[in-house]
Amino acid sequence: MAKRRDWTSETLAAGVREGDRRALARAITLVENGDPMAYEVVREVYPETGSAYVVGVTGPPGVGKSSLIAALIRQVREAGKTLGVISVDPSSPFSKGALLGDRIRLAEHFLDPGVFIRSMGTRGHLGGLAEATLQALLVLDAAGKDIVFIETVGTGQSEVEVIGIADTVLLVLMPGSGDSIQALKAGIMEIPDVIAINKKDHPAAKTMLNEVRSILSLDRERAWQPPIILTEAVEGDGVAALWAKVEAHRDHLDSEGLLEERRRKNLAGEVFAVASARAKAHLERAVEHDPELQRVLDEVQRRELDPLTAVQEIMDKVFKLGDGDRPNTR
């Protein structure tokens, strides 16, 4: 295997296919940094992707997602399957607290050759977190991982975008948490396929289960009703039952012919999400360095020009839109 400074896109792609840990680490670092070689590697290995089953794990901070993933890893490894874990931190690149916390809770699996764990932050990536996560996922998929967990910190827009590439979405909540109740109110219940209420020994655990169940009952049109499992991640209590529900959801997707459809939809959504992020970045740079476009913004701020006309002028100049390409704003 090539030394670190001797990597080429060809040797790196070969290393990824072989599941070499140094190659995986290097490839994902390139992905995080937006290095051009990362695109070459992903393009090279993309035909080998599509085999890994992706489980997105989300929920408010502090509910025990990392501890639950650690317990699920033990469960999956007992079945002889290999795993990849991407712990995503969309917060400030200067604050690594969440990342370090994830590493501590997952530490027992770092020496397991069948498990590859990586914490990721945005690091100013051009296409944002969604792009970096998608590429890292494809790298682990091409490396032959059977299961890939994608863990997000929080339940905001960035996190929802990230777990948009998951086959099964696991929402983790915790009783007695104001954040958890807020998540219910914010419509987050539309996202999950399986729900875990962690720290089942909490006095309010059963109450929360009933609250969640009542909210889910409002949506009777869903073909799959998300099951709710009470767990205690540190003790491993309820973890086997939780993983059984994840596998049941996978069986449901397979039996209904929905897995391929979901993946096609997810990939198309990711293409548009990354394209939108890049277009936004391009627009911001163009306006920042163009005095004429700055003048347009100044006129809007002085209320001399309405916002939609300003949008049309900026889009026309930056993207060279013709009359037939302009959106109908009426």
Side-chain angles (χ1 to χ4, degrees):
M1 190 55 63
K3 295 179 181 178
R4 177 173 177 176
R5 60 185 176 186
D6 296 332
W7 289 117
T8 66
S9 59
E10 291 80 12
T11 59
L12 198 52
V16 166
R17 289 191 185 97
E18 294 168 8
D20 179 80
R21 295 175 75 86
R22 289 190 302 139
L24 288 175
R26 183 60 179 158
I28 295 177
T29 295
L30 294 176
V31 162
E32 284 189 283
N33 294 335
D35 192 291
M37 189 189 289
Y39 300 108
E40 297 175 20
V41 172
V42 172
R43 183 169 60 242
E44 181 73 21
V45 302
Y46 187 68
E48 281 81 58
T49 63
S51 297
Y53 195 80
V54 185
V55 180
V57 183
T58 190
V63 297
K65 295 186 292 296
S66 295
S67 297
L68 195 57
I69 289 174
L72 287 169
I73 290 174
R74 289 193 292 272
Q75 183 73 30
V76 175
R77 289 295 288 144
E78 287 176 3
K81 295 180 180 179
T82 59
L83 297 104
V85 180
I86 304 171
S87 292
V88 179
D89 177 20
S91 61
S92 167
F94 303 105
S95 174
K96 298 296 190 290
L99 301 186
L100 292 173
D102 291 342
R103 287 187 177 276
I104 291 170
R105 283 180 277 277
L106 296 170
E108 66 177 283
H109 301 292
F110 274 111
L111 298 180
D112 185 341
V115 180
F116 185 88
I117 300 169
R118 183 62 176 258
S119 296
M120 292 179 60
T122 54
R123 296 192 181 183
H125 198 282
L126 178 63
L129 204 54
E131 178 176 338
T133 307
L134 173 61
Q135 287 190 295
L137 165 62
L138 293 174
V139 167
L140 292 174
D141 191 350
K145 300 303 180 187
D146 298 310
I147 308 290
V148 177
F149 286 110
I150 299 177
E151 177 195 5
T152 67
V153 180
T155 52
Q157 181 178 349
S158 297
E159 294 82 357
V160 171
E161 288 178 1
V162 167
I163 62 172
I165 54 180
D167 298 317
T168 296
V169 176
L170 168 61
L171 173 64
V172 185
L173 300 172
M174 183 181 74
S177 168
D179 286 335
S180 294
I181 300 301
Q182 192 60 38
L184 302 182
K185 294 178 180 176
I188 197 75
M189 300 309 294
E190 299 172 5
I191 297 173
D193 302 299
V194 180
I195 299 170
I197 297 178
N198 196 29
K199 304 186 180 177
K200 61 182 290 185
D201 294 333
H202 192 285
K206 294 290 180 64
T207 300
M208 183 167 211
L209 185 148
N210 292 331
E211 289 177 348
V212 173
R213 185 173 287 155
S214 65
I215 292 173
L216 292 176
S217 68
L218 298 176
D219 185 5
R220 295 190 176 91
E221 296 182 2
R222 291 181 66 164
W224 170 265
Q225 287 296 321
I228 311 166
I229 305 297
L230 293 172
T231 63
E232 175 48 64
V234 175
E235 301 296 331
D237 195 3
V239 173
L242 178 61
W243 185 247
K245 294 302 182 183
V246 172
E247 292 190 313
H249 180 249
R250 179 177 185 169
D251 292 341
H252 166 75
L253 294 177
D254 280 331
S255 64
E256 298 295 323
L258 298 174
L259 182 57
E260 185 60 29
E261 177 186 333
R262 186 172 215 177
R263 288 179 170 178
R264 288 169 62 89
K265 182 180 178 181
N266 287 350
L267 285 170
E270 285 305 302
V271 168
F272 283 113
V274 173
S276 297
R278 289 182 168 224
K280 179 184 177 184
H282 179 62
L283 266 173
E284 290 173 345
R285 287 195 303 270
V287 173
E288 181 182 357
H289 297 103
D290 190 315
E292 184 179 340
L293 297 181
Q294 283 289 342
R295 173 191 56 77
V296 171
L297 287 181
D298 290 341
E299 289 181 0
V300 173
Q301 292 164 350
R302 293 196 301 266
R303 299 191 183 274
E304 296 172 0
L305 184 68
D306 71 275
L308 291 184
T309 300
V311 168
Q312 184 171 298
E313 289 190 24
I314 291 173
M315 296 287 285
D316 285 352
K317 181 164 186 182
V318 176
F319 295 111
K320 307 295 190 294
L321 298 180
D323 290 338
D325 299 318
R326 293 177 180 173
N328 183 3
T329 57
R330 295 182 179 177

